[in-house]
Amino acid sequence: MANPPHELSPPSPTLPGARALSAAGAVLAALAVALSAYAAHVADPAAQSRLQMAAVFAFGHGVALAALAPITRRRLARVALSALLVGVLVFSGGLAAAYFFGASTRLLPYGGSLMILAWLAYAADALRR
């Protein structure tokens, strides 16, 4: 029996990699909550602002990835979201690595720049719809 016209049709398939991007976004958001809790309860006051900044960027972009990846229909949007993931990993991950492992922060501007470019690419894709 066919679906009556008032029922919703099944969602169209997402691009390959969308599920992985969505899952990565959810994991990123979870890690951000843990990092924020660590910063608030364990880290020394001098490190708290850097760790909180890393958590804020990771959480916001994680939620964006989890929400936007399943609805991507074109390659440009998927590439933009992939770049967004890499950018936030470099930026937020770099801030966390500097605290936990004494790593250099010299790559942070590249992560931030990649996030900016990724959002602009996503906007360009949105305008094409």
Side-chain angles (χ1 to χ4, degrees), residues 72-96:
T72 58
R73 298 290 179 252
R74 289 200 295 264
R75 188 172 187 274
L76 179 58
R78 187 186 62 202
V79 168
L81 293 179
S82 297
L84 191 64
L85 176 60
V86 172
V88 76
L89 289 174
V90 170
F91 183 79
S92 292
L95 284 171

Side-chain angles (χ1 to χ4, degrees), residues 13-26 65-66 68-72 78:
T14 56
L15 289 173
R19 275 197 238 168
L21 281 171
S22 184
L65 285 168
L68 296 175
I71 63 171
T72 58
R78 187 186 62 202

Side-chain angles (χ1 to χ4, degrees), residues 35 38 51 95-103:
L35 182 60
Y38 180 90
L51 292 177
L95 284 171
Y99 173 78
F100 289 111
F101 309 113

